[in-house]
Amino acid sequence: MKINVVMQRNATGLMLFLVIWQVLCELEVINPVMLPSPLHVIEALWIMLLDGTLMTNLGASLMRVGVGYMVALVIGLALGFLCGWVRKASDFIRPVVEALRPIPPLAWVPIAILWFGLGDASAYFLVFLGCVFPIFFGAFTAVRGMDKNQLNAAHCLGASQWMILRDVLVPASLPILMPSLRLALGIGWMCVVTAELIAAQTGLGYLIQQSRMVFQIQNVVAGMAAIGFIGFLMSAVLERVERRLIAWAPSERP
């Protein structure tokens, strides 16, 4: 019931935003040439859906986000848990991570093209770079902030290292880790669009760039709307998983 109420509020807020946008376009407060109305954007989405343009580019972007995110998930969690659990490992790995983290993914585009060429591999690499750091720090912070009494109790009960990792460390880290996973997913979408604007020949970012060049602004906004909608759905799925995995944890959300 609580989740349904939240979803209804989200839908109401989105509908209100679209209505205001449409009204402002009808009143010409917003120039419809520079920013098409929601109805024109929906029409553009429908046309691209019928001719296959939308699904082809959406599928390419989803694949790139999925692959880059999953690689970042594996590496980020592994290094984050390792550095949080083993201080000597943290002393060696964290300085490298802290030196690389401030570099924006856009700065890596020339190197990505040089290493991987134009195509999927460059996009995978850029999405990975965008996602891995929030995942790493989420896992690291969760482990370092864990209640030591839980570890001591597990040791007193004779738990092995594997049992502590599986039954204590991972469950206790989820309340801090899950928001980091959702944050990383959003960053992944930003990175894939950046990659597709420059170093790809398919994808929603490529669609936006090509539409801009021929001044099809409705297609530009339609591509942006598709990114926002799919990103929202993926984040919502992660949030539902979070609620199920850590239903025992206190939550600030209504």
Side-chain angles (χ1 to χ4, degrees):
M1 181 65 68
K2 186 182 295 186
I3 295 176
N4 291 333
V5 171
V6 173
M7 292 179 64
Q8 290 175 2
R9 290 176 180 174
N10 291 338
T12 302
L14 182 59
M15 288 302 297
L16 181 61
F17 169 75
L18 293 176
V19 169
I20 294 174
W21 178 6
Q22 181 68 36
V23 170
L24 291 177
C25 289
E26 293 291 340
L27 296 176
E28 297 187 355
V29 175
I30 297 176
N31 186 347
V33 176
M34 304 304 295
L35 180 61
S37 69
L39 292 180
H40 286 127
V41 173
I42 293 173
E43 180 183 3
L45 283 169
W46 179 249
I47 292 173
M48 289 191 292
L49 181 63
L50 291 179
D51 64 18
T53 302
L54 180 63
M55 298 309 296
T56 298
N57 290 289
L58 176 59
S61 294
L62 281 172
M63 175 64 71
R64 290 162 183 155
V65 171
V67 172
Y69 182 79
M70 292 307 298
V71 174
L73 189 66
V74 173
I75 295 178
L77 289 179
L79 292 179
F81 281 130
L82 176 64
C83 291
W85 190 255
V86 182
R87 185 169 295 275
K88 289 184 178 180
S90 176
D91 293 339
F92 284 99
I93 296 174
R94 273 199 66 198
V96 178
V97 174
E98 291 288 359
L100 295 176
R101 182 173 61 89
I103 303 174
L106 183 61
W108 289 92
V109 169
I111 293 180
I113 296 175
L114 179 64
W115 288 354
F116 305 107
L118 298 175
D120 291 343
S122 295
Y124 296 155
F125 177 68
L126 293 174
V127 173
F128 163 78
L129 286 175
C131 295
V132 71
F133 298 115
I135 294 174
F136 169 86
F137 281 104
F140 175 80
T141 303
V143 175
R144 283 293 175 91
M146 197 175 69
D147 187 359
K148 300 301 181 183
N149 291 328
Q150 294 177 325
L151 295 176
N152 294 334
H155 283 299
C156 291
L157 293 173
S160 64
Q161 290 294 326
W162 168 247
M163 292 176 64
I164 291 175
L165 175 65
R166 183 191 63 190
D167 299 329
V168 179
L169 186 62
V170 172
S173 66
L174 288 177
I176 296 177
L177 180 59
M178 290 303 296
S180 298
L181 299 186
R182 289 193 283 124
L183 173 64
L185 182 61
I187 296 175
W189 273 104
M190 289 189 285
C191 292
V192 79
V193 172
T194 300
E196 290 170 349
L197 285 172
I198 302 172
Q201 296 181 345
T202 55
L204 292 175
Y206 176 78
L207 172 66
I208 291 172
Q209 177 74 334
Q210 293 298 108
S211 299
R212 181 195 66 82
M213 293 176 65
V214 296
F215 207 71
Q216 293 179 336
I217 306 302
Q218 71 277 10
N219 288 351
V220 172
V221 181
M224 295 167 60
I227 293 169
F229 181 70
I230 297 301
F232 173 81
L233 287 182
M234 295 177 72
S235 180
V237 169
L238 277 180
E239 188 171 350
R240 290 292 297 271
V241 171
E242 177 183 353
R243 289 177 182 272
R244 289 185 176 275
L245 287 178
I246 55 175
W248 45 267
S251 175
E252 296 180 357
R253 296 184 297 274

